[in-house]
Amino acid sequence: MKKDATDKNNMDSRVVEDFGREWQAFNQNEIADEALLSAFSQYFDIFPFEKINQSSVGFDMGCGSGRWAKLIAPRVGRLNCVDPSELALAEAKNKLQGFPNCHFECASVAGASLPQESQDFGYCLGVLHHIPDTLAGIKSCSEKLKHGAPFLLYLYYRFDNKPAWYRLIWALSDVLRQMVSRMPFGLKHFVSQLIAFSIYWPLSRMALAFEKAGFKVTNFPLSDYRTKPLYFLKTDALDRFGTRLEKRFTRKEITQMLGEAGFVDIKFSESAPYWVAVGIRG
Ligand SMILES: C[S@@+](CC[C@H](N)C(=O)[O-])C[C@H]1O[C@@H](n2cnc3c(N)ncnc32)[C@H](O)[C@@H]1O
């Protein structure tokens, strides 16, 4: 598949193809419930669950393997799981077999068939920084929501809350990403696993050791992974180094985009992973 950044579907076909293969390689089924719940709460802690109930209808935009849908589906009436990757949707369908209230659509954020102003809630985690026009993607999500509906968004941060040396380390890692992400899938998978074992694992476990010794590790590279199982590290190394299109945003930029897309009462999570934000469709 070729990339078409001007695609009216607002998606990069090569990125979608790679994600499908990523979810095939790491379908997330072997993650222990406790670890999954802990990662889930990093995103959903700020979500106003009091606004949804067993009759609510909502969407998981860019659902991937369906790992978050599995935890949201039991709380709602209907969950629309949307992803443009057939391979990702196959994994999600498999994972969500026990939830007849999950419905699947193979579509990009710009092409999803959900009627305008039909949804009681929505979330879109780790998706819209991998598409050509992020603001347009947020607006597409907004249009699907009823007025007063909450929307949870996670976008990669531009290290606006980190020191300059941290940004320098990221810039170096991004040179590596530019190279690895252009490799054929098999090779990038292999290299990403080397990165997981030789960089993610030692740095994250070093952060854990420092924390246990009483040090603050907020700015220690990869400290967010310090208690996460190796499986997360392997998935995220492929996600991070295998994806060609990656954008980053400051908290201010995300606030502006959400505002422009019609969201009010915007709140951010103050802890990793940055930036997770929730807004209410005005
Ligand atoms: C990093 S994964 C995140 C998956 C899931 N939200 C999660 O957090 O586990 C990004 C997902 O976005 C999907 N995606 C890519 N481009 C998209 C687009 N234009 N519209 C909707 N989803 C898209 C990919 O197929 C992939 O499954």
Side-chain angles (χ1 to χ4, degrees):
M1 277 190 251
K2 69 175 176 48
K3 177 190 174 199
D4 183 357
T6 59
D7 190 334
K8 66 177 170 42
N9 274 325
N10 195 7
M11 80 177 200
D12 183 320
S13 305
R14 291 183 306 183
V15 165
V16 171
E17 193 178 327
D18 281 343
F19 271 122
R21 300 189 71 179
E22 175 182 325
W23 295 126
Q24 256 190 332
F26 296 104
N27 62 19
Q28 312 291 294
N29 291 344
E30 66 180 67
I31 296 177
D33 288 349
E34 198 190 339
L36 191 69
L37 266 176
S38 161
F40 174 83
S41 59
Q42 282 192 299
Y43 295 108
F44 281 89
D45 262 2
I46 59 167
F47 188 82
F49 279 105
E50 70 281 2
K51 286 187 182 288
I52 62 170
N53 56 44
Q54 291 293 334
S55 55
S56 304
V57 172
F59 62 79
D60 178 339
M61 188 57 70
C63 65
S65 68
R67 57 184 172 172
W68 310 133
K70 185 176 144 185
L71 298 169
I72 292 294
R75 297 170 173 254
V76 300
R78 176 182 172 119
L79 184 60
N80 296 299
C81 302
V82 182
D83 202 289
S85 162
E86 294 278 8
L87 292 178
L89 275 187
E91 295 301 338
K93 282 177 188 167
N94 188 30
K95 186 176 282 85
L96 300 166
Q97 281 177 56
F99 299 102
N101 62 337
C102 285
H103 297 260
F104 302 91
E105 183 177 7
C106 188
S108 163
V109 62
S113 67
L114 300 171
Q116 309 283 75
E117 299 186 12
S118 63
Q119 305 291 294
D120 300 308
F121 71 94
Y123 59 95
C124 183
L125 305 180
V127 176
L128 302 181
H129 43 230
H130 296 308
I131 70 169
D133 187 340
T134 301
L135 172 59
I138 298 175
K139 285 182 176 170
S140 297
C141 290
S142 174
E143 286 163 5
K144 307 293 183 198
L145 293 165
K146 292 179 186 168
H147 296 278
F151 176 61
L152 187 73
L153 175 70
Y154 166 54
L155 291 177
Y156 282 164
Y157 71 137
R158 190 125 49 78
F159 310 103
D160 36 323
N161 58 348
K162 295 287 182 196
W165 61 262
Y166 200 101
R167 287 195 285 275
L168 180 66
I169 294 179
W170 169 78
L172 294 174
S173 78
D174 203 51
V175 174
L176 185 59
R177 179 187 67 82
Q178 307 267 2
M179 293 188 298
V180 176
S181 65
R182 281 167 177 74
M183 294 173 178
F185 185 80
L187 188 57
K188 77 165 91 168
H189 183 207
F190 176 73
V191 174
S192 73
Q193 301 312 284
L194 278 184
I195 294 171
F197 283 107
S198 61
I199 299 175
Y200 277 57
W201 194 82
L203 278 179
S204 63
R205 270 43 186 183
M206 221 183 280
L208 183 61
F210 277 120
E211 184 179 50
K212 283 185 176 160
F215 293 99
K216 199 171 162 236
V217 293
T218 325
N219 286 338
F220 197 101
L222 300 171
S223 63
D224 186 39
Y225 292 99
R226 64 195 182 279
T227 55
K228 289 188 175 158
L230 181 61
Y231 192 88
F232 270 106
L233 280 58
K234 287 162 64 184
T235 308
D236 286 5
L238 177 57
D239 203 297
R240 175 71 228 299
F241 288 91
T243 308
R244 287 163 227 251
L245 178 57
E246 172 190 298
K247 300 175 178 183
R248 291 184 170 267
F249 299 92
T250 64
R251 181 172 169 148
K252 195 172 161 200
E253 287 167 341
I254 296 170
T255 307
Q256 279 169 351
M257 289 192 292
L258 283 168
E260 216 177 302
F263 290 102
V264 296
D265 293 341
I266 297 160
K267 292 186 183 69
F268 281 82
S269 164
E270 298 300 336
S271 48
Y274 312 102
W275 291 117
V276 182
V278 68
I280 303 296
R281 171 85 154 90

